[in-house]
Amino acid sequence: MATLKSNAPSGPLADKWRKHKTEIKLVNPANKRKYEVIVVGAGLAGSSASATLAELGYKVKNFVFHDSPRRAHSIAAQGGINAAKNYQNDGDSVHRLFYDTLKGGDYRARESNVHRLAEVSVNIIDQCAAQGVPFAREYGGLLANRSFGGAQVSRTFYARGQTGQQLLLGAYSALSRKVGDGGVELHTNSEMLDLVLVDGHAKGIIVRNLITGAITRHSADAVVLATGGYGNVFNLSTYARGSNATAIWRAYKRGACLANPCYTQIHPTCIPVSGDYQSKLTLMSESLRNDGRIWAPKRKEDAKKDPNTIPEADRDYYLERIYPSFGNLAPRDVSSRAAMRACNEGRGVGETGLGVYLDFADAIKRLGEPAVRERYGNLFDIYHEITAENAYKTPMRIFPAVHYTMGGLWVDYNLMSNIPGLFVMGEANFSDHGANRLGASALMQGLADGYFVLPYTIGNYLADVKPGSRPKTDRGEFKEAEDNVTWMNQRLLENKGKEPVSHFHKRLGKLMWEYCGMARTKEGLETALQKIPELREEFWANVKVPGSGDTLNQSLEQAGRVADFIELGELLCRDALTRDESCGGHFREEYQHPDGECKRDDENFAHVAAWEYQGVDKTPLRNVEPLNYEFTKMSVRSYK
């Protein structure tokens, strides 16, 4: 059984991070040059951490499967980044951001981590502005803010609809500077396929070059994973198609606990699915909900009508009706379930009946079309490219879709997993968002971890590692891990099946969405836990992977990732089945209040569920970290 010790510092909540920084062990500047750190991933978390660690003097090796860090999925976060600056003078504060984040996560996150995130947020904006990130500004020159779901203040900084891309360019410039001066050794087109443990500590990785097929060993004094989320286990999602879970899944199979895998975020403003041919879904930024109004027809018979012909009296602005305090900016999980209810009642719009309207008619009337174009023009352009519809004239059609995963590898307050020396950042860990993430908090966490948290806390571990004790790659542990990777690749390539990898990924996605998507039931999850192992057996018996492993082979890449997704999907359903409550993005239909809201069970489930791998075809062990709220009272989460 794994030991799950949060290592959160004692003392008043507002003093914990400051106190911790004064008490943790340090590595002196001369010794930092003697340590090597591997960072896997080069999105916001990976790039910012690599650059900052190198700036401190550590030798850093960064591995990314893209041809450039600029292709990381972080660029897809369009709407903004939260920070408790209170520039609008509307009552924001570090404590309010902390409370909104904790409440938004349905009281299923660790108090100390969330408060630190809120504290550090105020530094992120200054850091990024100094790098030249072109945040939107008010007429007088001050940085502008807008509102996002789950908050009653304006705390979201943005760069039109390109916030993630602009922030990544800032982090990439910092990374490029350290690559240029030799502080970071950048390995592109390189996919981590296994984690190497030496005497129980993470000391290296096994990597495949996606262009040449070469499999190589790399050692370090510590390993950092910043590889994003696992939402593509559902096949159709808003994730970039290449996003995968392989790095964290291979670490899980080496002993790292995977925490709360069932916490999946469904985003309410995705362009609806249009056909089986689709490879991914496209998000309309949450920022649109500042001025757009969401509605569905009141009557079933109006669902197929032209929306512009439906009179105001026959429209149900259901978020404004049900959640008057937050209206169209209700949190994502709440808004998504409300849309699902409208569609289940037969009031859904579009050809499939799986859609509601996001309407800008009132905003255009109030502000004028030029002002709306200035704020959201690129998003309207994206919508037009995909649907051939003009959202200035006809309301957008939206429907919920998988967007983010709050679960991930378990980490303590220092961002270290239960495997010593293995650190995990950003969406790849579980730590800050509980059961539901508030909009604009993903970018905040990724940069907080990379710029301001890990560079402090990794020293606490390395201070106890003797300089120069880094293992050689000719050790048996490296050979065993490399042999494991080679064996799996050969097994896939030599399989005599008939179906392409995509065939199995689509089937897995449909199973996951039907039985473990927006709504879950005991019976449905039990069905999934019967069908997914059958799909896994069929995958290994009938998947076809053409080509060889000695060159570029995207079928081989995808096969390994889908094999991991199938196993992860089973664990995700198992986690959802054992959590007999509804909270945030985990909605069990058996556990809801009469009004359809989540019914939590704080007595039995106010804890983190961290699953520990036990071997092939063996039931994983469910470890528990209690969530002890010292400074916040768990209460019924209401946005009404």
Side-chain angles (χ1 to χ4, degrees):
M1 179 173 286
T3 301
L4 303 181
K5 186 177 180 182
S6 73
N7 291 317
S10 59
L13 187 63
D15 295 338
K16 286 181 182 290
W17 178 230
R18 177 191 56 78
K19 178 187 177 194
H20 191 61
K21 288 191 292 184
T22 64
E23 293 178 347
I24 59 177
K25 300 170 186 175
L26 301 176
V27 178
N28 78 58
N31 277 344
K32 284 187 175 77
R33 296 191 293 270
K34 301 175 183 177
Y35 292 103
E36 287 193 7
V37 179
I38 284 174
V39 178
V40 184
L44 283 180
S47 285
S48 59
S50 296
T52 308
L53 290 170
E55 195 74 46
L56 290 171
Y58 296 107
K59 294 180 180 178
V60 178
K61 289 183 179 179
N62 181 277
F63 295 85
V64 57
F65 66 77
H66 295 295
D67 61 349
S68 166
R70 290 175 297 174
R71 295 192 185 276
H73 183 56
S74 299
I75 67 166
Q78 304 160 330
I81 177 171
N82 287 330
K85 286 286 198 180
N86 195 32
Y87 281 179
Q88 303 300 309
N89 199 29
D90 57 1
D92 201 11
S93 65
V94 167
H95 179 79
R96 192 175 294 277
L97 175 54
F98 155 74
Y99 179 73
D100 284 350
T101 304
L102 206 63
K103 176 184 175 182
D106 222 346
Y107 303 97
R108 289 294 179 263
R110 193 186 287 144
E111 242 185 353
S112 54
N113 286 66
V114 177
H115 196 278
R116 176 176 64 190
L117 177 65
E119 286 180 68
V120 168
S121 72
V122 299
N123 299 326
I124 296 172
I125 305 304
D126 297 336
Q127 168 90 2
C128 295
Q131 289 175 334
V133 173
F135 288 118
R137 294 181 181 269
E138 303 288 1
Y139 179 76
L142 296 177
L143 296 184
N145 290 122
R146 56 190 176 198
S147 298
F148 258 54
Q152 291 180 304
V153 298
S154 293
R155 64 163 68 103
T156 303
F157 295 78
Y158 62 97
R160 294 195 74 189
Q162 308 170 355
T163 312
Q165 181 175 2
Q166 297 300 331
L167 291 171
L168 183 61
L169 289 173
Y172 175 64
S173 67
L175 173 63
S176 296
R177 175 175 174 271
K178 298 313 296 180
V179 171
D181 69 16
V184 176
E185 186 179 293
L186 181 62
H187 297 261
T188 57
N189 297 305
S190 299
E191 182 170 31
M192 170 188 161
L193 294 180
D194 209 346
L195 177 71
V196 180
L197 304 187
V198 176
D199 298 329
H201 289 240
K203 293 298 179 183
I205 61 175
I206 305 299
V207 171
R208 180 175 183 268
N209 184 297
L210 299 182
I211 304 299
T212 67
I215 296 174
T216 52
R217 312 171 184 181
H218 301 270
S219 73
D221 296 288
V223 176
V224 180
L225 301 185
T227 52
Y230 49 85
N232 275 341
V233 68
F234 290 85
N235 186 37
L236 285 182
S237 74
T238 67
Y239 284 72
R241 195 60 190 167
S243 297
N244 64 85
T246 288
I248 64 169
W249 190 251
R250 305 290 170 91
Y252 162 74
K253 295 180 88 167
R254 290 292 179 182
C257 288
L258 190 60
N260 301 332
C262 76
Y263 288 165
T264 307
Q265 181 168 85
I266 311 295
H267 198 296
T269 58
C270 180
I271 298 177
V273 175
S274 59
D276 190 55
Y277 57 86
Q278 284 183 267
S279 62
K280 75 177 301 293
L281 300 175
T282 303
L283 179 70
M284 289 289 97
S285 168
E286 186 162 303
S287 61
L288 292 171
R289 293 201 276 154
N290 274 277
D291 290 305
R293 299 179 70 192
I294 296 174
W295 63 276
K298 288 182 178 179
R299 302 181 305 175
K300 295 180 182 179
E301 51 266 35
D302 290 342
K304 299 299 182 183
K305 290 183 178 178
D306 180 341
N308 291 322
T309 67
I310 301 175
E312 194 73 12
D314 292 335
R315 301 179 179 190
D316 178 17
Y317 294 92
Y318 55 85
L319 291 179
E320 298 172 29
R321 171 175 57 83
I322 303 172
Y323 310 104
S325 295
F326 286 76
N328 295 295
L329 285 171
R332 292 174 174 178
D333 61 322
V334 170
S335 301
S336 293
R337 284 193 295 273
M340 180 180 67
R341 286 196 296 269
C343 293
N344 288 345
E345 292 167 3
R347 299 187 290 124
V349 303
E351 292 183 9
T352 63
L354 297 176
V356 295
Y357 290 122
L358 177 59
D359 195 338
F360 277 82
D362 282 0
I364 290 172
K365 184 177 179 180
R366 183 179 74 253
L367 302 169
E369 187 173 316
V372 173
R373 284 185 182 275
E374 183 178 354
R375 292 183 183 182
Y376 309 112
N378 62 321
L379 300 172
F380 278 63
D381 292 342
I382 291 171
Y383 184 81
H384 179 266
E385 286 293 320
I386 292 172
T387 66
E389 297 174 10
N390 184 348
Y392 296 104
K393 305 299 181 185
T394 303
M396 291 181 178
R397 288 175 296 107
I398 57 171
F399 191 70
V402 173
H403 178 62
Y404 190 89
T405 52
M406 284 73 66
L409 292 183
W410 182 90
V411 292
D412 66 4
Y413 190 72
N414 292 323
L415 303 185
M416 188 166 76
S417 73
N418 58 294
I419 295 178
L422 178 65
F423 293 80
V424 192
M425 302 188 300
E427 192 179 357
N429 75 31
F430 88 102
S431 66
D432 291 356
H433 305 299
N436 178 64
R437 177 175 66 79
L438 293 186
S441 289
L443 301 180
M444 176 173 63
Q445 185 206 353
L447 290 179
D449 288 355
Y451 281 136
F452 299 110
V453 179
L454 182 84
Y456 276 106
T457 60
I458 198 170
N460 191 60
Y461 169 77
L462 292 174
D464 290 329
V465 176
K466 182 180 178 182
S469 63
R470 186 168 54 258
K472 303 292 185 182
T473 57
D474 58 1
R475 286 184 61 120
E477 294 90 340
F478 282 88
K479 183 181 186 305
E480 184 272 330
E482 182 182 334
D483 289 346
N484 181 58
V485 168
T486 301
W487 170 80
M488 183 170 181
N489 286 347
Q490 286 303 117
R491 185 183 177 192
L492 288 167
L493 289 165
E494 293 172 2
N495 210 47
K496 303 303 181 184
K498 297 180 179 179
E499 297 290 350
V501 176
S502 59
H503 169 82
F504 296 97
H505 200 177
K506 285 182 179 181
R507 288 174 58 190
L508 173 66
K510 288 178 180 177
L511 285 173
M512 296 300 298
W513 182 250
E514 181 176 357
Y515 298 117
C516 201
M518 257 196 294
R520 298 134 183 213
T521 65
K522 180 176 184 291
E523 292 75 18
L525 291 166
E526 288 174 342
T527 299
L529 288 171
Q530 176 186 343
K531 290 179 176 293
I532 293 174
E534 293 172 356
L535 180 66
R536 184 179 71 241
E537 289 185 18
E538 186 180 343
F539 171 87
W540 284 107
N542 202 30
V543 70
K544 180 177 178 61
V545 182
S548 77
D550 300 326
T551 184
L552 175 67
N553 188 341
Q554 292 185 323
S555 293
L556 178 60
E557 297 168 34
Q558 292 160 8
R561 295 167 187 174
V562 171
D564 293 337
F565 276 140
I566 293 173
E567 295 179 1
L568 171 58
E570 183 177 355
L571 182 65
L572 200 156
C573 292
R574 188 180 301 279
D575 186 45
L577 180 63
T578 57
R579 188 168 283 277
D580 291 329
E581 65 165 353
S582 289
C583 57
H586 168 63
F587 187 72
R588 285 279 297 272
E589 291 184 359
E590 306 95 323
Y591 305 102
Q592 58 180 300
H593 293 289
D595 60 359
E597 300 298 335
C598 287
K599 187 174 184 179
R600 287 199 329 263
D601 182 352
D602 293 339
E603 182 178 350
N604 295 305
F605 291 98
H607 59 243
V608 177
W611 295 87
E612 184 180 359
Y613 183 66
Q614 297 296 293
V616 178
D617 293 328
K618 294 182 180 178
T619 302
L621 183 65
R622 189 178 190 267
N623 299 290
V624 166
E625 179 203 339
L627 292 171
N628 299 313
Y629 280 37
E630 300 177 67
F631 305 95
T632 311
K633 181 181 178 182
M634 291 185 181
S635 59
V636 176
R637 180 175 173 243
S638 174
Y639 293 92
K640 297 182 177 180

